[in-house]
Structures are given as C-alpha cells and as structure tokens.
C-alpha cells in the first residue's frame, strides 16, 4: 500500500512569512496527525483529526498555526507568520482509527528552516 | 500525566555486539508501548508494539522488547548489531483514555565497524 505522502520535503522562508504543508494519508485511514519535531527531540503532537473533525489541538499555537482536513482525506498545516522557533521537521501520520493498539504510519516529513 | 524517559541520548556499540536501548515510562495504569526507528531524513517506522498479552514482544529487523510492569520499563534489545541499525530510536506510550502518543526524546544508535 502507498504510504503517507507529504510535500514539500524542504522549505526555507524568512521569519514573518507564511508557509503551508500538505499531507495525503494512507487510503482508508480515518485518523490523521500533525507532529512537530524539533532537532534533538521526539515528535510533539500538534493536532489530531478524526475524519474531518478535530479531536485534539491542545498543543497547536493557534495564534499562528492552523490546520484543516476538508473532506476527511488530505490535510494542510499552515504557519502565519513564522517565527525562528518554528524551525523543525513537520511530520504527518495516519492510522485506521485512534484506538490504543493501532500504530501510526508516518510520512517522511517537511523540514522547515526559518531565516 | 504520562511521560517517557529514554536514558542516553547516544549509544555506541561495535558491529556484532548486543544493543540495549532503555525506556522507562510513568503511568498510573498499564499503557500501550511502542518503539519507532527514524533513519536520516525519513519519517518514523514502527519497530514493535506492546498492547496486551505476552510481555516479550518481537519486532522487525531482529529487535525485541520486554514490558516489565514492576520496573515501568520497555527496553529495546537486539543480540547482534548491524551497521544498518544506525539510526535514532524513539520509545512512545499511549493511554486508552486519551489515545495521544507521547514520545521520548530519542536515542541515537551508532554502530562501529
């Protein structure tokens, strides 16, 4: 089966600019996750969708970050305006459902550098 | 709140030697436990998981981990390291109540020829 697809792979922008990332989950996976992975740290959940509804966005900096999953398939994550501390890898993951024994499948991520 | 601690940000072993990566968790109830591997410039790949049942779990690439409730540990082992095992390894815990996956800070495994 095709894995989780993310684009772009790399993005360099200046602070205060905006940027958007795209994710296409594995076909049939109802649950989609966006993680932020800062260099030297483990991934941190930003937002979790169940179909096209938000389940958990408690760690999403809502003043600058936004995400949507229209039609319950693809998702976009946007940052506007970007800050230096947003430099990180943004990982998208999907799972069949949020159940405790369901593994999450990860894309290769988008590496964001803020100048 | 649950958390995950991985002892040692870097572990170096010789090729053919035993690999032991340590993971301890804090939780008031038995959690679900996962080990993921991340190769450079790639996403995370599931190595193995513990949900219920047998406490010794076998995964891909010859790795295994043992859930020890009394020690709140889920250490990852492999009898003989290969050069291809060099990567970053993440332990993660998930609770039934939240379904949120909490990751440790990772351990980078270096394999010396």
């Amino acid at each position: 089966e095709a894995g989780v697809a993310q684009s772009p792979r790399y993005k360099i922008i200046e602070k205060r600019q905006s940027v958007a990332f795209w994710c296409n989950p594995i076909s049939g996976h109802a649950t989609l996750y966006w993680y932020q992975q800062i260099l030297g740290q483990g991934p941190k959940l930003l937002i979790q969708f169940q179909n096209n509804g938000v389940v958990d966005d408690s760690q999403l900096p809502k003043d600058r970050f936004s995400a949507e999953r229209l039609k319950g398939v693809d998702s976009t994550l946007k940052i506007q305006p970007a800050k230096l501390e947003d430099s990180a890898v943004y990982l998208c993951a999907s799972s069949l459902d949020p159940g405790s024994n369901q593994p999450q499948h990860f894309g290769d991520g988008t590496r964001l550098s803020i100048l | 709140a649950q958390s995950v601690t991985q002892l040692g940000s870097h572990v170096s072993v010789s090729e053919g030697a035993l690999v032991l990566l340590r993971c301890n968790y804090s939780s008031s109830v038995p959690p679900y436990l996962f080990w993921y591997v991340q190769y450079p410039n790639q996403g995370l790949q599931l190595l193995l998981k513990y949900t219920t049942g047998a406490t010794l779990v076998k995964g891909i690439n010859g790795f295994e981990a043992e859930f020890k409730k009394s020690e709140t540990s889920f250490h990852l082992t492999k009898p003989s390291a290969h050069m291809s095992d060099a990567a970053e390894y993440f332990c993660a815990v998930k609770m039934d109540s939240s379904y949120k996956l909490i990751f440790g800070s990772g351990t980078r495994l270096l394999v010396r020829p």
Side-chain angles (χ1 to χ4, degrees), chain A:
Chain A
E1 64 179 5
V4 176
Q6 289 188 247
S7 67
R9 288 298 315 276
Y10 305 92
K11 190 73 177 178
I12 302 173
I13 62 171
E14 295 185 347
K15 59 183 179 183
R16 291 187 289 274
Q17 286 187 325
S18 63
V19 64
F21 313 127
W22 173 82
C23 173
N24 180 238
I26 292 174
S27 178
H29 281 195
T31 312
L32 186 146
Y33 314 79
W34 282 104
Y35 288 88
Q36 180 191 59
Q37 185 178 18
I38 293 173
L39 187 65
Q41 299 180 20
K44 182 186 80 172
L45 180 69
L46 292 175
I47 189 168
Q48 176 180 339
F49 291 95
Q50 180 65 19
N51 296 308
N52 60 350
V54 175
V55 173
D56 184 345
D57 63 356
S58 57
Q59 297 198 81
L60 187 74
K62 298 180 186 64
D63 58 333
R64 298 184 301 105
F65 285 64
S66 65
E68 61 182 11
R69 192 183 183 198
L70 300 176
K71 301 180 182 179
V73 182
D74 293 4
S75 177
T76 56
L77 176 69
K78 297 179 182 178
I79 308 175
Q80 182 179 12
K83 292 185 174 181
L84 293 176
E85 60 259 36
D86 299 333
S87 292
V89 175
Y90 291 85
L91 295 165
C92 179
S94 69
S95 63
L96 276 172
D97 59 53
S100 55
N101 64 346
Q102 287 295 332
Q104 296 180 18
H105 301 264
F106 286 79
D108 287 339
T110 295
R111 183 176 299 274
L112 175 65
S113 297
I114 312 293
L115 303 179

Side-chain angles (χ1 to χ4, degrees), chain A residues 9-10 33 35 37 40-45 48 56 58-59 91 98-109 111, chain B residues 32 34 36 38 40-46 49-51 88 90 94-96 98-106 108:
Chain A
R9 288 298 315 276
Y10 305 92
Y33 314 79
Y35 288 88
Q37 185 178 18
Q41 299 180 20
K44 182 186 80 172
L45 180 69
Q48 176 180 339
D56 184 345
S58 57
Q59 297 198 81
L91 295 165
S100 55
N101 64 346
Q102 287 295 332
Q104 296 180 18
H105 301 264
F106 286 79
D108 287 339
R111 183 176 299 274
Chain B
Y32 301 96
F34 304 79
Y36 282 86
Q38 186 176 34
N41 297 316
Q42 294 186 25
L44 281 73
Q45 179 184 3
L46 181 68
K49 64 178 181 179
Y50 169 78
T51 54
E88 185 132 25
F90 292 94
K94 184 190 280 190
M95 305 301 296
D96 243 343
S98 72
Y99 296 149
K100 182 181 293 187
L101 201 58
I102 307 296
F103 285 89
S105 56
R108 184 168 298 277

Side-chain angles (χ1 to χ4, degrees), chain B residues 6-17:
Chain B
Q6 291 186 240
L7 290 176
S9 59
H10 292 79
V11 169
S12 180
V13 301
S14 298
E15 191 173 18

Side-chain angles (χ1 to χ4, degrees), chain B residues 27-82:
Chain B
S27 170
S28 57
V29 297
Y32 301 96
L33 297 157
F34 304 79
W35 273 100
Y36 282 86
V37 60
Q38 186 176 34
Y39 297 101
N41 297 316
Q42 294 186 25
L44 281 73
Q45 179 184 3
L46 181 68
L47 273 179
L48 49 80
K49 64 178 181 179
Y50 169 78
T51 54
T52 58
T55 56
L56 182 62
V57 181
K58 294 187 185 299
I60 62 172
N61 302 339
F63 284 93
E64 62 182 34
E66 186 172 11
F67 169 58
K68 291 187 176 180
K69 183 179 176 181
S70 61
E71 298 178 7
T72 60
S73 68
F74 190 57
H75 301 331
L76 182 70
T77 60
K78 182 174 181 178
S80 176
H82 294 169

